[in-house]
């Protein structure tokens, strides 16, 4: 194939692999990128293959692929980050790997319990809810008689003389 056709073929193969991966067909996507068990020569395809292996949970294979990518491109930051992440993940005890799933289950149970509590639970465990008093408009009734009007003495000079 000529040099101008190769990038198009790579782009199409990557696009097909992405489509397969989005449908959850990770093995098929990997087989498309690594035809007949050979590793791709192109760095983008190798990167995609390593990411697919990581996503599938095949960490030993993924680590080998990331290392190969790092050999081909020594400054590849994503390859360095993924190698470090996989090494950290594999160095942990096996029981630690289930903590995220366990936390998810605990959170789910807590949410379900909260929903049941808010809805009142089931009939076997009645929930006491105090009755709310009825709100009515208060009738207007003054508490006392209105005050008497204030009368001021007349202080005008004409009236003082008459008095």
């Amino acid at each position: 194939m000529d040099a101008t056709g190769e990038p198009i073929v790579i782009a199409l193969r990557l696009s097909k692999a992405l489509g397969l991966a989005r449908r959850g067909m990770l093995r098929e996507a990997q087989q498309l990128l690594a035809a007949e068990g050979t590793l791709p020569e192109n760095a983008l395809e190798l990167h995609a293959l390593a990411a697919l292996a990581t996503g599938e949970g095949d960490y030993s294979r993924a680590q080998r692929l990331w290392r190969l990518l790092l050999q081909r491109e020594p400054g590849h930051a994503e390859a360095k980050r993924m190698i470090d992440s996989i090494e950290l993940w594999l160095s942990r005890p096996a029981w630690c790997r289930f903590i995220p799933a366990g936390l998810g289950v605990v959170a789910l149970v807590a949410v379900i319990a909260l929903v049941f509590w808010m809805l009142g639970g089931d009939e076997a465990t009645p929930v006491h809810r105090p009755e709310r008093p009825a709100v009515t408009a208060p009738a207007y009734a003054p508490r006392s008689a209105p005050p008497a009007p204030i009368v001021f003495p007349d202080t005008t000079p004409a009236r003082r003389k008459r008095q």
Side-chain angles (χ1 to χ4, degrees), residues 133-149:
V135 178
T136 58
Y140 179 76
R143 294 187 178 176
S144 62

Side-chain angles (χ1 to χ4, degrees), residues 5-25:
E6 186 68 22
I8 294 172
V9 172
I10 292 170
L12 287 173
R13 195 169 27 244
L14 285 170
S15 178
K16 285 181 185 179
L18 178 62
L20 289 169
R22 284 185 176 161
R23 289 190 299 250
M25 303 167 73

